[in-house]
Amino acid sequence: MADAVNDPYAMRDPRTQYPQPEFSRQPQPAPGLAAEMSPKPDHGETGYRGNGRLKGRKALVTGGDSGIGRAAAIAFAREGASVVINYLPSEQKDADEVVALLTGEGHTVVAIPGDLADEAFCKELVQRSVKELGGLDILANVAGRQQFSPSIDELDSASFEATFRTNVFALFWLTKAAVPHMPPGAAIVNTASIQAYQPSDILLDYASTKAAIVAFTKALAKQLAEKGIRVNAVAPGPVWTPLQPSGGQPQEKVVEFGKSVPLGRPGQPVECAPLYVLLASQEASFITGETYGVTGGNMLP
Ligand code: NAD
Ligand code: MG
């Protein structure tokens, strides 16, 4: 049973529900580990309670080792889904925590590491997920690359391309491979960002990929309606994950991360999970092509 501090269902002031800035400087090499963060992000490990919303579903969650993807994976499993998580090999330590937690609770979770910037691996990941789970009902595209760069002069082509391959091309490759396996009622949930609408100067490439993801989500939703497959996106504001201290932001911004949003703090990954569950579940049967913000009040247009 969750204790009072970590019970996301107990009514209280959202401003003080989770840690507020200032935070310590804590640089890590990309892609970063949740295990190295201080304070530790809350992915719903002790708090998220399932309610059978995804009973029997088969879900692939990219970026499922840490941050928002880990929170989605935990929530999906506790809602009754079998889950494959994907992540980079260097994130094995974080992935092991997710697998230990969920298998310890009796859920099916399969860890498949690999690089989504590689088209062949994207195809292989979908094929292996279908094989391991016996099908595919939910594709949650949560993986993402974010490396800040102060000016276009310093943003080189290799970095620009890596961001687009990870955030946009992989979305195309994974979706293309997954759709033929998805039955009517299946759902795709993508991960955009407030950056699609309010781009930071230092995130030129990243913000552009997130705007692309919003358009991709809308066009794909129109295309897949005739198959009975829904497609939506979640667009988070600042969320306390390893993406940020591992080069997503300069350290001076990590220190005050979330301070400027109306609720005055960063979101925690667990606060994004209910949107992934809703959009993946049959409760969202009339919702497709939408982008949902979870921003602490720094709202989408
Ligand atoms: P995170 O670092 O915990 O998750 C990102 C994950 O992406 C990593 O765990 C890693 O497994 C995966 N990844 C990166 N490059 C990869 C590659 N080449 N191949 C395979 N996997 C790769 O951070 P997060 O903040 O939870 O990020 C999840 C999503 O949320 C991303 O799409 C990010 O853009 C988006 N987002 C985050 C924030 C925020 O403030 N944290 C805000 C808006 C959107
Ligand atoms: Mg990670």
Side-chain angles (χ1 to χ4, degrees):
M1 189 65 193
D3 61 29
V5 177
N6 286 319
D7 180 359
Y9 307 97
M11 186 168 134
R12 85 195 96 151
D13 188 332
R15 296 170 299 176
T16 51
Q17 185 171 349
Y18 291 106
Q20 300 156 284
E22 295 193 346
F23 301 108
S24 59
R25 288 173 178 256
Q26 45 193 290
Q28 301 191 46
L33 290 173
E36 304 293 321
M37 290 183 74
S38 170
K40 291 268 181 290
D42 187 338
H43 307 90
E45 287 91 339
T46 59
Y48 190 92
R49 290 203 295 270
N51 204 18
R53 287 182 182 84
L54 300 175
K55 199 159 181 261
R57 302 294 210 287
K58 296 147 186 161
L60 167 57
V61 183
T62 67
D65 60 305
S66 63
I68 298 165
R70 184 195 287 201
I74 290 171
F76 285 0
R78 291 199 184 144
E79 295 289 356
S82 309
V83 180
V84 168
I85 60 167
N86 163 255
Y87 49 92
L88 286 164
S90 64
E91 299 173 298
Q92 192 62 46
K93 185 177 174 189
D94 275 358
D96 286 345
E97 283 187 20
V98 179
V99 171
L101 176 74
L102 295 179
T103 52
E105 294 174 1
H107 303 298
T108 299
V109 56
V110 180
I112 307 182
D115 186 352
L116 298 176
D118 174 12
E119 180 175 3
F121 175 72
C122 287
K123 287 184 191 162
E124 183 195 324
L125 174 61
V126 170
Q127 305 313 332
R128 285 179 60 191
S129 300
V130 168
K131 203 167 165 214
E132 293 278 358
L133 303 175
L136 191 63
D137 307 312
I138 299 166
L139 172 61
N141 290 303
V142 191
R145 178 183 195 271
Q146 177 185 333
Q147 290 289 300
F148 83 89
S149 184
S151 111
I152 195 166
D153 300 332
E154 291 162 56
L155 178 59
D156 60 32
S157 296
S159 187
F160 189 87
E161 184 177 333
T163 307
F164 269 80
R165 287 181 83 88
T166 309
N167 299 5
V168 183
F169 283 49
L171 202 64
F172 170 62
W173 294 324
L174 291 167
T175 305
K176 200 174 167 62
V179 166
H181 298 283
M182 300 182 101
I188 298 173
V189 187
N190 295 327
T191 307
S193 168
I194 187 69
Q195 288 290 325
Y197 306 96
Q198 297 177 33
S200 300
D201 51 355
I202 61 171
L203 296 175
L204 183 64
D205 54 341
Y206 175 83
S208 305
T209 66
K210 292 298 170 174
I213 291 168
V214 172
F216 184 94
T217 299
K218 290 180 180 175
L220 189 69
K222 287 183 177 171
Q223 224 184 80
L224 297 187
E226 67 179 28
K227 294 185 191 293
I229 300 172
R230 295 176 301 97
V231 188
N232 292 285
V234 175
V239 181
W240 189 245
T241 72
L243 191 74
Q244 304 298 349
S246 65
Q249 303 285 343
Q251 290 300 314
E252 59 271 23
K253 292 209 174 176
V254 171
V255 171
E256 56 182 35
F257 196 61
K259 194 174 173 184
S260 66
V261 307
L263 291 179
R265 63 168 176 86
Q268 292 294 323
V270 66
E271 296 179 283
C272 302
L275 280 176
Y276 286 86
V277 170
L278 169 68
L279 295 172
S281 81
Q282 204 60 30
E283 288 181 320
S285 50
F286 202 52
I287 302 174
T288 193
E290 299 289 355
T291 301
Y292 280 71
V294 47
T295 65
N298 196 10
M299 58 206 70
L300 308 186

